[in-house]
Amino acid sequence: MSSLPITQAAPAGATVSNTAGPQAAASASAPGAAAQESLSGGLILLLALGTGVSVASLYYSQPMLGVLSGAIHASERQVGMVPTLTQLGYALGLLLLAPLGDRYDRRNIILIKGAILALSLLAAGLAPSLGFLLAASLAVGLTATMAQDLVPAAATLAPVQHRGRVVGIVMTGLLLGILLSRVISGVVAEQFGWRAMYVGAAVGIAVIGVALWRGLPRFAPTTSLSYGALMGSLFSLWRQHPALRRAAVAQGLLSLGFSAFWSTLAVMLHEAPFHMGSAAAGSFGLAGAAGALAAPLAGRIADRNGPESVTRLGAGLAALSFLAMAFAPLLPDTHSKIMLIVAAAIGFDFGIQATLVAHQTIVYGIDPGARSRLNALLFTSVFVGMSVGAALGSLALAQWGWMGVVGLTTLAAVGSLLVRLTARRR
């Protein structure tokens, strides 16, 4: 990747120093000075890698629950609290910690979170009891929000004309981190034990932290609000910016459909006519690779044609892909049914991830001085959509079976498309 020239004003959240380590503070220019930086391909790769490695921390425990249950002498229900508390910590971190990127030097926040995340993963790997592991899991979730500091950092560093492409590349790292985390965790836990997975993850975060300390420039704070006022400004931003509300609602609806499908897939495949095990359901996760491919492509299209068109195309593709699965019961054999579901999963995953990158491009352009808070609001809506989708998906499956889930996911995607079409008319 070639270097991208940057000319950003410090009050808009631009870097004020490209030095790192002990000399960085002395090199910072006064607030308000224009910053001349070079966003190299190496720095973009570092941001993408850091995002992927940090968000992967949320998912390492999931394939290891069976091993954990016997290793720490806990019931399956008790061990199930490990990923639950990790996700709860991430939700709290999104809401309570992510906005701090506007108040303080985002570089310092990233480094502090990285250090605590490495220690939390190490504590999980050395946990002598279930209670200790649960506490460490909550801390992992809170500090894994480091990923949501790196994405706004990339948007701030990128020149406006290339912001979509840069955000897309960094989001590719995030999506690959989610996709590969379970695979890596399962293999490492089986070969070397669950503790080795946590310790190895801690070492990986520490290495990335050192690289970020050396390579990440400083960022000028864009506000001097107190923490209470900073949190209160989230409501003000929500009220003031219709574009933010539309992006959050549209992406939240897509996340609802996404979660409703994936949270019920294993149950659906277990029943007639498929009669397939959990391993087969897990292999469907490889369709997530489509999302990783969608992110940089969507960013380039957003830079060239505008993000609005990408949101409509992405939501439309997701709606058509969900609807296509309604025809699966009509196909003559199980193999054909499976192929249709795989194709549909690739289609809606591509559409949803492309729309997310476009929504990020829109949101980051609303108010450069509030990017961390805007990002927190956008991803809080995504998390809420995922949670609601899991609950409604289970209800729809219990009441109406396969067609109930297909109907729910299709309606959610159509709702998202209508939100984007309404934005176009306005």
Side-chain angles (χ1 to χ4, degrees):
M1 288 176 286
S2 60
S3 296
L4 300 178
I6 296 178
T7 303
Q8 301 250 23
T15 59
V16 296
S17 174
N18 196 32
T19 58
Q23 295 80 20
S27 302
S29 62
Q36 299 287 343
E37 300 293 345
S38 179
L39 182 56
S40 66
L43 181 53
I44 297 173
L45 179 61
L46 177 60
L47 290 167
L49 187 60
T51 302
V53 172
S54 55
V55 79
S57 303
L58 298 171
Y59 303 100
Y60 289 137
S61 65
Q62 294 180 4
M64 303 191 298
L65 294 181
V67 178
L68 280 171
S69 180
I72 58 179
H73 308 292
S75 67
E76 292 184 1
R77 183 175 181 181
Q78 290 174 318
V79 170
M81 289 299 295
V82 172
T84 299
L85 283 175
T86 305
Q87 295 293 332
L88 176 61
Y90 192 72
L92 292 173
L94 275 176
L95 187 61
L96 302 177
L97 299 180
L100 294 175
D102 294 331
R103 176 63 180 84
Y104 302 100
D105 181 355
R106 193 177 284 117
R107 177 180 182 272
N108 290 340
I109 293 175
I110 291 169
L111 296 179
I112 291 171
K113 282 187 178 180
I116 300 176
L117 177 57
L119 291 174
S120 300
L121 288 166
L122 183 61
L126 302 177
S129 64
L130 176 64
F132 198 95
L133 179 59
L134 292 177
S137 298
L138 181 64
V140 166
L142 282 167
T143 50
T145 51
M146 167 185 172
Q148 297 305 329
D149 295 301
L150 287 165
V151 180
T156 299
L157 290 169
V160 175
Q161 66 271 26
H162 295 295
R163 183 175 295 142
R165 183 172 76 87
V166 172
V167 170
I169 293 171
V170 175
M171 285 299 294
T172 299
L174 184 143
L175 297 169
L176 286 175
I178 295 172
L179 173 66
L180 298 176
S181 58
R182 298 179 181 91
V183 178
I184 294 172
S185 176
V187 172
V188 172
E190 182 176 339
Q191 296 296 322
F192 306 103
W194 66 274
R195 293 186 186 275
M197 182 63 248
Y198 277 122
V199 173
V203 173
I205 289 291
V207 171
I208 289 293
V210 171
L212 289 169
W213 172 72
R214 291 179 59 85
L216 196 63
R218 290 188 175 276
F219 297 79
T222 56
T223 181
S224 58
L225 294 173
S226 66
Y227 181 74
L230 192 71
M231 298 304 297
S233 69
L234 293 174
F235 299 99
S236 299
L237 289 168
W238 182 264
R239 290 195 305 266
Q240 291 171 5
H241 299 296
L244 168 64
R245 296 196 298 271
R246 287 192 293 268
V249 171
Q251 196 64 47
L253 286 169
L254 288 176
S255 300
L256 188 156
F258 180 89
S259 179
F261 173 81
W262 288 113
S263 63
T264 57
L265 178 64
V267 177
M268 291 189 290
L269 291 179
H270 181 72
E271 298 173 349
F274 304 109
H275 303 293
M276 301 176 74
S278 57
S283 66
F284 272 75
L286 294 175
L293 296 174
L297 177 61
R300 287 186 173 89
I301 297 174
D303 288 335
R304 186 170 62 250
N305 300 324
E308 288 287 353
S309 62
V310 177
T311 62
R312 293 189 291 272
L313 289 171
L317 177 59
L320 290 174
S321 299
F322 282 130
L323 181 61
M325 290 190 293
F327 297 95
L330 304 179
L331 295 178
D333 57 87
T334 301
H335 181 266
S336 299
K337 292 179 174 68
I338 292 294
M339 289 300 100
L340 175 60
I341 296 172
V342 169
I346 292 173
F348 73 68
D349 194 80
F350 194 101
I352 289 172
Q353 301 304 342
T355 306
L356 176 58
V357 172
H359 277 144
Q360 287 175 292
T361 304
I362 292 171
V363 168
Y364 293 156
I366 291 173
D367 183 355
R371 279 197 181 116
S372 291
R373 284 167 287 169
L374 294 168
N375 187 68
L377 289 168
L378 175 62
F379 275 89
T380 296
S381 73
V382 169
F383 192 91
V384 170
M386 297 278 281
S387 301
V388 173
L392 291 183
S394 298
L395 178 62
L397 183 64
Q399 294 292 324
W400 301 289
W402 171 259
M403 294 305 294
V405 176
V406 171
L408 173 63
T409 57
T410 303
L411 285 174
V414 169
S416 176
L417 178 59
L418 290 175
V419 171
R420 296 318 317 175
L421 291 174
T422 301
R424 183 181 184 179
R425 287 198 298 271
R426 289 179 179 177

